[in-house]
Amino acid sequence: GGSMSQSRRMSMIETLAGVAIGFAVSVALSYVVYPLFGHAFTLGQNIAITVIFTVASIVRGYLVRRVFNRLAGRVLP
């Protein structure tokens, strides 16, 4: 049987789902972690910081997945 690679759309949907879960976990953990390092942020500041890291995570996850899907289609020696 042939192997099917994941479509770009499904790659993005999978990445967004994973990042959305990570976003919620990060916002919750920040209330514990930031104060341990001497920082206290408002909810709005915390969300803004998390958005920056989330956007970076979306781009990274999508690009890595596309590279591996492209490599999977090649015959390696």
Side-chain angles (χ1 to χ4, degrees), residues 11-55:
S11 294
M12 181 58 81
I13 291 169
E14 180 182 331
T15 299
L16 289 172
V19 172
I21 292 166
F23 183 89
V25 170
S26 178
V27 169
L29 280 175
S30 67
Y31 285 105
V32 174
V33 174
Y34 289 146
L36 290 175
F37 290 90
H39 301 285
F41 297 108
T42 66
L43 178 60
Q45 290 170 325
N46 178 29
I47 289 173
I49 292 166
T50 305
V51 165
I52 292 166
F53 286 110
T54 299
V55 169

